[in-house]
Every structure is written in C-alpha cells, then in structure tokens.
C-alpha cells in the first residue's frame, strides 16, 4: 500500500512537496449533473432567466472555480492552468431534464488537475441551482466524478 503523503511525521496534515516530480502535460475531465423541471429547462434554453444567461454564467463560475481550487481545498497546490473547457449536454427524462456537465482542465506542471476539474464541474451545477432556485428548490445535483486524467507518474486513467 502506498504511504499516505499528506500526513507529516507527527501525524498532522501537510501539503505534499512536489519539487522533485517531473513537469509533464496533464489534463483531467470531470462530470457532474443537475436535474431540473420542464419550466427551468425552458427558461435556461430560451435565455429568459431574470438573472441572465444561466449556462454562460455557470461556465464562468466553473472556470473561476478551477482557477481558485487551491483556495478552497486545503492540500491542493496552486497551479498555473493552461486551459479550462466546460461543456453541456441535455438529457430528457420523464417530467424532468438533466444537464450533464463536463469540465476539462489542463496544465503543464508537477501535479495533476483532477481536483480543479471536479471543483469546476461542481461549481457549474451549483451555479445553475443558484440562478434557478426561485422556480424550484427541489432540483437534484447528481453524482460528480472523474471521467479521465492524463499525465503524471501514476499515468492515464479512464473511467
């Protein structure tokens, strides 16, 4: 079993030293979702929400979240991100619509961007909720998970 690297010799939390790691191109894609009722779906796709363009605002929130992940996740390293892309795909269900969210983050660095991608996807779903909660507070934010990652010592991962 691999030694847990976020604990120091006294048993307290520490930020891992990545100084000796190789700099490589790294990317990660995460998924999240939010299920909304037909009225919210229509408001989003027709751009009639009084707070503004929901998906555009959510994309910006996701980008900002990725860039600021180290400010909210204690052991994350601040990273110079080289790219962030947020994409959407609607899925119609019985009396509901699910917005599938994909957040892809890339960098060239000594540590991966999985947390940045996961944070971005989560922030997108939360922003959609925030901008449309006046219509329905019963929206459901779905599972959030890593779809893939590339680069680094541990190699590539595909869900």
């Amino acid at each position: 079993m691999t030694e847990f690297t976020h604990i120091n010799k006294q048993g307290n939390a520490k930020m891992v030293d990545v100084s000796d790691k190789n700099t490589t191109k790294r990317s990660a894609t995460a998924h999240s979702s939010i299920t909304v009722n037909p009225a919210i779906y229509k408001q989003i796709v027709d751009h009639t929400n009084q707070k503004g363009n929901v998906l555009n605002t959510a994309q910006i929130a996701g980008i900002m979240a990725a860039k600021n992940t180290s400010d909210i996740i204690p052991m994350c390293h601040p990273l110079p991100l080289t790219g962030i892309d947020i994409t959407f795909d609607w899925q119609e269900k019985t009396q509901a619509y699910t917005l599938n969210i994909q957040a892809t983050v890339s960098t060239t660095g000594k540590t991966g961007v999985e947390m940045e991608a996961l944070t971005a996807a989560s922030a997108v779903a939360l922003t959609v909720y925030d901008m449309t909660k006046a219509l329905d507070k019963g929206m459901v934010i779905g599972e959030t998970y890593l779809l893939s990652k590339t680069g680094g010592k541990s190699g590539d991962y595909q869900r």
Side-chain angles (χ1 to χ4, degrees), residues 40-152:
I40 292 173
Y41 169 77
K42 184 165 176 38
Q43 191 181 81
I44 291 171
V45 298
D46 291 347
H47 306 290
T48 57
N49 184 286
Q50 291 184 357
K51 292 184 179 182
N53 184 316
V54 174
L55 296 184
N56 188 19
T57 303
Q59 283 179 311
I60 293 167
I63 291 167
M64 291 174 64
K67 290 167 55 174
N68 290 289
T69 299
S70 66
D71 291 338
I72 58 173
I73 307 295
M75 300 306 163
C76 283
H77 294 82
L79 299 175
L81 304 181
T82 57
I84 305 167
D85 188 22
I86 312 284
T87 59
F88 304 112
D89 176 40
W90 284 104
Q91 178 183 4
E92 187 174 355
K93 297 185 172 185
T94 306
Q95 296 298 312
Y97 293 84
T98 297
L99 178 65
N100 292 301
I101 303 155
Q102 278 197 14
T104 301
V105 180
S106 57
T107 191
T108 301
K110 295 179 178 232
T111 191
V113 287
E114 296 92 343
M115 293 308 301
E116 288 73 10
L118 289 161
T119 302
S122 299
V124 169
L126 289 167
T127 301
V128 171
Y129 186 97
D130 179 54
M131 292 188 72
T132 59
K133 69 182 182 274
L135 283 175
D136 179 20
K137 292 175 181 39
M139 292 174 279
V140 175
I141 294 175
E143 293 180 323
T144 301
Y145 52 86
L146 186 68
L147 284 169
S148 64
K149 77 127 193 128
T150 64

